[in-house]
Amino acid sequence: MPRSRAARTALALAALALAAGCGDAGGLQGAGPTPTATSPAKLWPSLTPASSPAWNYDNGESETMKGVTAPGGDIRKVDPARLVRAEIAQHADDYAGSKAPYRETVRRMDSCGKHPADAKCPLLRPYYRDITGDGHPDLTLGFRLLPGNQTAVRVYTVEGNRVVQVMSNNDAVSGVELAGRSVIIHAPSDLSDYEYRFQWTWDPEQKVMLLTHDEMLHNGKREQPPKRPSASRSGSPSASAGTSPSTTTGASPSLSPSATP
């Protein structure tokens, strides 16, 4: 005779009670009450929206590198040092003269192109990856802006045989990553355990890299208190496990400001 619904329910409850009594740690556990979701509150609805930015974000600009061509449309055949020298010529106010902010970079460029590589050369290792999505590699280039502590990060693509700079960023860089169609730049913050993260992403309509994310993040470097060693059965303390360093995952290798080509 089939059991009634009440009997089946009683048996199920008894089985659950037995399972709980066995100390099963694999079951679901409640995470506490869920906070009530609230929608954003729109402030000052009568405020007239601004029609133009308050200042120039230096965003969405491209520049053709004069006198530099890519044979066969291949950016890998272009000398990176030649691109830097072209920028120096096109922006003399930043590089030329005793009071120019990046005057030392010009002097150090004389050390580039030597074999073996000269540590005085401000150029960093070039990286080639298709960022624009046209099936051809683009160039992500970094070089030190001296005598200060800033690093220039540039992205170049090829249009026809012309070399076009589609991204330009200067900052006190602590790390750079390539991820898909984006260049992610990490920069130190004045706040302890925090850093700035800027993400530049290729826009196929504007045909430039746009600053799509600008945020401050906790970098996970706050020191943790050491673990207290636990006593073994014999009474002697066991070796304590050291804290593992925090890691940051990236879709590609980072560009180190201290690297040389």
Side-chain angles (χ1 to χ4, degrees), residues 10 32 76 87 128 151 181 184 187 197 206 209 219 256 260:
R76 291 172 295 190
E87 175 173 328
Y128 298 92
T151 301
R181 301 285 179 258
I184 302 171
R197 191 181 76 166
Q206 302 292 329
M209 305 283 289
N219 57 22
S256 170
T260 55

Side-chain angles (χ1 to χ4, degrees), residues 9-258:
T9 302
L11 289 174
L13 291 175
L16 288 174
L18 288 174
C22 293
D24 183 11
L28 297 176
Q29 297 181 359
T34 302
T36 303
T38 57
S39 60
K42 186 175 182 179
L43 306 184
W44 309 304
S46 60
L47 181 67
T48 303
S51 58
S52 61
W55 55 81
N56 182 13
Y57 283 90
D58 197 21
N59 192 12
E61 298 179 356
S62 63
E63 181 179 11
T64 300
M65 308 312 293
K66 298 177 182 178
V68 182
T69 58
D74 190 351
I75 191 69
R76 291 172 295 190
K77 296 181 179 180
V78 179
D79 182 6
R82 189 179 178 188
L83 290 170
V84 177
R85 292 188 176 100
E87 175 173 328
I88 291 173
Q90 292 174 212
H91 299 274
D93 291 344
D94 292 333
Y95 297 94
S98 59
K99 296 183 179 180
Y102 312 133
R103 58 192 178 276
E104 184 67 14
T105 296
V106 180
R107 191 178 69 84
R108 296 274 191 101
M109 285 299 297
D110 294 336
S111 301
C112 298
K114 298 181 180 180
H115 299 282
D118 193 324
K120 294 181 179 180
C121 175
L123 279 174
L124 305 181
R125 172 187 172 186
Y127 285 83
Y128 298 92
R129 175 180 291 193
D130 181 13
I131 295 179
T132 61
D134 61 358
H136 301 284
D138 303 298
L139 168 61
T140 302
L141 183 63
F143 57 95
R144 301 303 306 273
L145 295 172
L146 304 168
N149 66 340
Q150 295 189 58
T151 301
V153 180
R154 308 286 189 261
V155 175
Y156 301 93
T157 190
V158 177
E159 295 179 1
N161 287 334
R162 298 180 304 128
V163 178
V164 180
Q165 183 187 98
V166 294
M167 176 197 150
S168 174
N169 185 87
N170 301 338
D171 208 335
V173 174
S174 57
V176 181
E177 298 169 320
L178 298 179
R181 301 285 179 258
S182 298
V183 176
I184 302 171
I185 299 176
H186 301 260
S189 166
D190 290 335
L191 295 179
S192 177
D193 302 320
Y194 281 84
E195 69 172 10
Y196 293 108
R197 191 181 76 166
F198 308 98
Q199 180 172 333
W200 297 75
T201 305
W202 171 253
D203 187 297
E205 295 183 1
Q206 302 292 329
K207 295 188 180 301
V208 292
M209 305 283 289
L210 298 179
L211 182 60
T212 53
H213 292 81
D214 180 352
E215 54 189 343
M216 177 183 285
L217 298 175
H218 185 262
N219 57 22
K221 293 182 180 179
R222 182 178 291 118
E223 295 183 359
Q224 300 294 333
K227 293 183 179 180
R228 181 176 299 174
S230 58
S232 63
R233 291 185 179 181
S234 62
S236 60
S238 61
S240 61
T243 57
S244 60
S246 61
T247 58
T248 303
T249 59
S252 64
S254 299
L255 307 185
S256 170
S258 60

